[in-house]
Amino acid sequence: MSQVLPGDVTPVHDLIGIGFGPSNVAMAIAISEHNARTGSQEAVSAHFFEQQPRFGWHRGMLIDDATMQVSFLKDLVTLRNPTSEFSFLCYLKSKGRLVDFINHKNLFPLRVEFHDYFEWAAAQVDDMVSYGNEVVGVTPVVRDGAVEYMDVTVRSGEGLEVHRARNLVIGTGLRPLMPEGVERGDRVWHNSDLLAKVAGLEGTSPSRFVVVGAGQSAAENVAYLHRVFPEAEICAVFSRYGYSPADDSSFANRIFDPEAVDQYFTAPDEIKRKLMDYHGNTNYAVVDIDLIDDLYRQAYQEKVLGTERLRFVNVSRLTGVEETPEKVRSTVKSLVTGEESELDADIVVFATGYSPVDPVGLLGDVADRCLRDDEGRVRVERDYRIATDSDLRCGIYLQGGTEHTHGITSSLLSNTAIRVGEILDSLLDRGVKSASDEARPVTDGAGSTVR
């Protein structure tokens, strides 16, 4: 619901969301369920802006046989509301696959299936999102010396629009990370673009790929390229002796529990660092043991048959990449001897992870009111709200970029359903609600559209 203030023609949203990936889809669902349960007087008005033309989540890595690393029960809603009509089980029922999935006896769906679930869920709340709309700036609205609202400038194919909000929730996801000095190109890829780039190779016959990295995505890239290009050699380059298995044992998985967020948040910084050191192998630079075994089995079989296409260049690091129209020349350095060698390939794929987007990068002057810790990181309250000076009365909530305060689940799906419930509770506890039905566009004195 939006409110038009006396003497002001600008409607106000209770919440504007930046980005519409899984986290903000879950946020929209939580608000939708709250509004349906409470009625118009308690309803929360919200709208989300997504620069992609439609919903998409890691589309470049939707390899046909890749599975999720989290249980289907950690969907967008179940841990918050087990009776929700937006659950993965309800999705399966709507697709006529519920019994088949149960017979499959598997907690971990195909990644492409879970993406289809996300699309299904997003479509049910698509009245709350504007696709093809990029948020380009945020401006504080000051009343009596305090920031009462934020004006969000959005760019679409029709030009610029301004939307006013009491609160923001930022869910802009992660950005592909390349090694310093390496740029993506026609022959130098990041794994996030894998499927689209492979489609562009149709009709060609690459003879060698180099895949850099030691995590799950790197191993999946190696296996996929080895299968799709049966004449090509696949060289995996990493600094370890081999892929390390992910620790998904029952006790270790408690690091992803909702209660673990409370414990991590209140722990001293020294303990936070220890916890990350202890349990980083649940998520970072590790690979599912079944995939490790499959790759080793394939490599050994090729060695027996004398047709080796899988090569593992271990205890080594890629130190240089030179792209030409015909090939990529890579420089590989042994970490043991220091010796460098040249490795030519048709394609080099960097499965080198992602980096969080600066959570305050779009906030403009509002960013100056956000508090930081001694290491320059944004301070975040337990309810995922950025700590600000007292004159900023709006709430700025983060879905991601909170690993230093909330732990390892910051950018993962494991706690998404719980997190959005906590953000919604925070909004309601702070008395954020409005009275009218819809935010309608109006024009300000400068000729820009204001919603």
Side-chain angles (χ1 to χ4, degrees), residues 264-275:
Y264 191 92
F265 185 82
T266 58
D269 286 345
E270 179 185 357
I271 301 303
K272 284 185 170 72
R273 286 190 291 269
K274 285 186 176 181
L275 288 172

Side-chain angles (χ1 to χ4, degrees), residues 117-434:
Y117 158 65
F118 288 152
E119 289 185 288
W120 171 85
Q124 296 186 69
V125 289
D126 63 0
D127 59 322
M128 299 174 69
V129 60
S130 295
Y131 291 105
N133 281 252
E134 179 186 7
V135 174
V136 296
V138 176
T139 306
V141 179
V142 179
R143 298 282 177 86
D144 299 324
V147 179
E148 294 283 355
Y149 311 104
M150 291 172 287
D151 279 351
V152 179
T153 303
V154 181
R155 179 169 54 216
S156 68
E158 300 176 357
L160 295 179
E161 295 180 348
V162 179
H163 303 255
R164 184 161 292 179
R166 294 182 175 86
N167 300 275
L168 299 179
V169 57
I170 301 175
T172 47
L174 302 170
R175 290 179 178 170
L177 180 63
M178 297 288 284
E180 186 176 354
V182 178
E183 299 291 335
R184 285 188 279 182
D186 293 337
R187 294 183 178 274
V188 177
W189 305 349
H190 187 272
N191 69 274
S192 59
D193 299 320
L194 179 71
L195 295 186
K197 291 290 191 179
V198 164
L201 295 179
E202 186 174 358
T204 67
S205 300
S207 60
R208 178 183 288 162
F209 292 85
V210 172
V211 179
V212 182
Q216 179 73 22
S217 294
E220 289 178 358
N221 275 244
V222 169
Y224 175 77
L225 294 170
H226 184 266
R227 171 165 56 90
V228 172
F229 296 96
E231 304 300 321
E233 181 180 86
I234 315 299
C235 299
V237 180
F238 43 75
S239 57
R240 305 182 180 195
Y241 271 95
Y243 298 115
S244 297
D247 184 357
D248 62 351
S249 58
S250 301
F251 285 112
N253 274 344
R254 287 180 170 177
I255 194 68
F256 303 111
D257 289 355
E259 292 81 4
V261 177
D262 291 321
Q263 295 167 345
Y264 191 92
F265 185 82
T266 58
D269 286 345
E270 179 185 357
I271 301 303
K272 284 185 170 72
R273 286 190 291 269
K274 285 186 176 181
L275 288 172
M276 292 300 293
D277 290 342
Y278 290 153
H279 296 291
N281 65 345
T282 59
N283 184 61
Y284 298 114
V286 289
V287 181
D288 286 347
I289 188 64
D290 290 345
L291 181 54
I292 294 175
D293 290 343
D294 286 345
L295 287 172
Y296 191 89
R297 187 181 301 113
Q298 183 68 49
Y300 185 78
Q301 178 181 327
E302 290 182 356
K303 185 172 289 189
V304 171
L305 299 176
T307 56
E308 295 182 56
R309 291 196 300 115
L310 273 179
R311 287 182 55 196
F312 296 97
V313 186
N314 60 2
V315 201
S316 300
R317 180 168 295 157
L318 210 67
T319 58
V321 178
E322 182 182 351
E323 181 178 2
T324 71
E326 293 79 26
K327 65 180 180 180
V328 182
R329 169 153 291 179
S330 304
T331 303
V332 179
K333 180 178 181 179
S334 168
L335 299 181
V336 175
T337 66
E339 180 182 356
E340 292 188 339
S341 58
E342 305 296 333
L343 184 62
D344 290 343
D346 297 274
I347 304 292
V348 175
V349 184
F350 285 90
T352 44
Y354 297 82
S355 61
V357 177
D358 179 6
V360 299
L362 291 171
L363 297 183
D365 291 341
V366 176
D368 297 334
R369 298 176 179 271
C370 298
L371 305 182
R372 296 182 179 269
D373 63 19
D374 293 339
E375 298 184 31
R377 302 170 300 189
V378 174
R379 286 174 48 190
V380 186
E381 306 290 357
R382 176 59 185 86
D383 59 359
Y384 298 95
R385 185 164 45 100
I386 294 178
T388 64
D389 65 38
S390 58
D391 288 334
L392 181 65
R393 297 177 182 174
C394 309
I396 304 170
Y397 294 88
L398 299 182
Q399 299 237 56
T402 60
E403 188 175 271
H404 62 293
T405 54
H406 290 69
I408 203 168
T409 62
S410 173
S411 60
L412 305 179
L413 292 174
S414 294
N415 234 8
T416 297
I418 296 293
R419 180 172 63 244
V420 300
E422 292 175 341
I423 292 173
L424 178 56
D425 287 344
S426 175
L427 288 169
L428 297 173
D429 289 345
R430 292 174 51 236
V432 180
K433 61 180 182 179
S434 55

